[in-house]
Amino acid sequence: MLELNYFLVLSALLFSIGVVGVLVRRNAMIIFMCIELMLNAINISLVAFSSFLGNDSGQIFVFFVLTVAAAEAAVGLAIVISLFRNKESLDIDKINILKW
Amino acid sequence: MNIETIIFLVFGITAVVSAVLMVTRKNPIISAIFLILNFFTVAVIYLLLKAQFIAIIQVLVYMGAIMVLFLFVIMLLNLKENKKPSEYSFKKITAILISILLALLLGTSVYFGFQGKQMNEVAEKIGTAESLGRTLFTTYSFHVLAAGMLLLAAIVGAVMLAKKKFE
């Protein structure tokens, strides 16, 4: 039978792969996709806890995570478009106005 | 090994492999397509967890709406591929080592911390659209309104950010 910890290990692995992507890749689009991957990994553990404990609050929380992910995708892609319009590049090493 | 374990292994391994491929591919379009594959496998995992409505929402919203938006923007921007080979700097190797450490820490603590838990019997009942909708619109009705306001703010913000110049 499937146990709770299998799903949690899968979630931990996907989250860590997302962390690698955010830290290693230099393309702003791919960093953005890795953030979506990490949100998805968290959703797996929320749904797993919800099913195994028999409480539906976890699945409700997944809805709000989805809402925030959709809003974040809309605003983030708008930022990416306006960055590309000004810099002609999505390399985050070249986007350094706020760095010091 | 029963059928559920086999399905979990097949789709779990596919999820991890497609996530690794997504991080390592150079072309952003191929990365996005591997991310879509990963979202599909995660939807199957939700079905194994008896969360049918969440699985459908995952396919509709993540694969259908958010990833189409991503692909649209990637193709719109016409990114030039940088020809220089990826160098293995000190920063990158440190980042990968720290992430492997994070995976080991999270994985072992979660694996040994939650051993022997079996699926709850009411899990099949709480995953349906009926049960989730009842909770969502009674207990969490205020939060639904707040989420609606958040989406409205996101739409207005996205339009303002993507405009050519402020008038």
Side-chain angles (χ1 to χ4, degrees):
Chain A
M1 275 309 283
L2 288 173
E3 289 179 14
L4 174 58
N5 48 9
Y6 300 168
F7 294 98
L8 296 180
V9 168
L10 175 68
S11 164
L13 278 179
L14 288 179
F15 188 86
S16 310
I17 294 169
V19 172
V20 175
V22 169
L23 290 178
V24 169
R25 293 303 302 261
R26 297 271 73 104
N27 186 331
M29 282 305 289
I30 297 199
I31 290 179
F32 210 30
M33 286 194 262
C34 288
I35 294 174
E36 298 288 331
L37 183 72
M38 286 154 77
L39 284 172
N40 225 36
I42 297 304
N43 281 351
I44 294 179
S45 29
L46 283 174
V47 174
F49 276 121
S50 161
S51 291
F52 277 82
L53 300 181
N55 187 343
D56 56 359
S57 294
Q59 300 194 19
I60 299 291
F61 206 80
V62 172
F63 275 102
F64 294 114
V65 173
L66 267 170
T67 314
V68 172
E72 176 234 338
V75 174
L77 289 174
I79 291 174
V80 163
I81 287 179
S82 62
L83 269 179
F84 190 77
R85 192 179 283 139
N86 289 322
K87 290 269 183 183
E88 292 291 319
S89 159
L90 286 186
D91 192 337
I92 57 160
D93 287 332
K94 289 181 190 142
I95 304 166
N96 50 6
I97 314 169
L98 287 179
K99 274 187 191 167
W100 58 283
Chain B
M1 261 206 318
N2 57 349
I3 186 82
E4 281 187 346
T5 316
I6 295 169
I7 294 175
F8 176 77
L9 281 179
V10 168
F11 281 93
I13 291 170
T14 316
V16 172
V17 168
S18 61
V20 170
L21 284 173
M22 182 210 102
V23 171
T24 51
R25 293 307 95 181
K26 270 211 147 22
N27 191 340
I29 293 179
I30 296 177
S31 284
I33 287 169
F34 275 119
L35 188 57
I36 293 175
L37 176 64
N38 182 58
F39 283 164
F40 175 73
T41 56
V42 171
V44 177
I45 300 283
Y46 289 158
L47 280 183
L48 280 180
L49 284 166
K50 313 262 194 306
Q52 18 175 321
F53 191 60
I54 300 285
I56 293 170
I57 289 292
Q58 168 94 359
V59 173
L60 281 180
V61 175
Y62 258 119
M63 288 168 66
I66 295 182
M67 287 318 291
V68 166
L69 202 63
F70 268 88
L71 278 175
F72 186 73
V73 169
I74 293 172
M75 291 181 181
L76 190 73
L77 291 185
N78 183 25
L79 295 172
K80 293 173 290 290
E81 291 198 33
N82 53 343
K83 290 287 183 286
K84 63 170 195 252
S86 56
E87 70 278 16
Y88 288 96
S89 60
F90 177 68
K91 219 164 83 180
K92 269 187 188 178
I93 293 170
T94 319
I96 291 172
L97 283 179
I98 287 178
S99 304
I100 290 172
L101 215 63
L102 174 74
L104 281 177
L105 188 67
L106 276 179
T108 50
S109 61
V110 134
Y111 184 82
F112 293 111
F114 293 98
Q115 260 176 337
K117 284 248 192 322
Q118 295 297 325
M119 180 83 79
N120 204 304
E121 298 85 36
V122 295
E124 283 187 41
K125 291 203 191 68
I126 64 174
T128 58
E130 185 193 353
S131 139
L132 280 185
R134 186 172 293 131
T135 318
L136 193 62
F137 292 115
T138 52
T139 318
Y140 293 94
S141 55
F142 173 73
H143 305 78
V144 174
L145 294 178
M149 290 304 290
L150 175 72
L151 283 176
L152 178 67
I155 293 169
V156 175
V159 171
M160 288 302 285
L161 277 170
K163 259 197 333 192
K164 253 214 161 57
K165 56 172 177 261
F166 300 106
E167 297 167 49

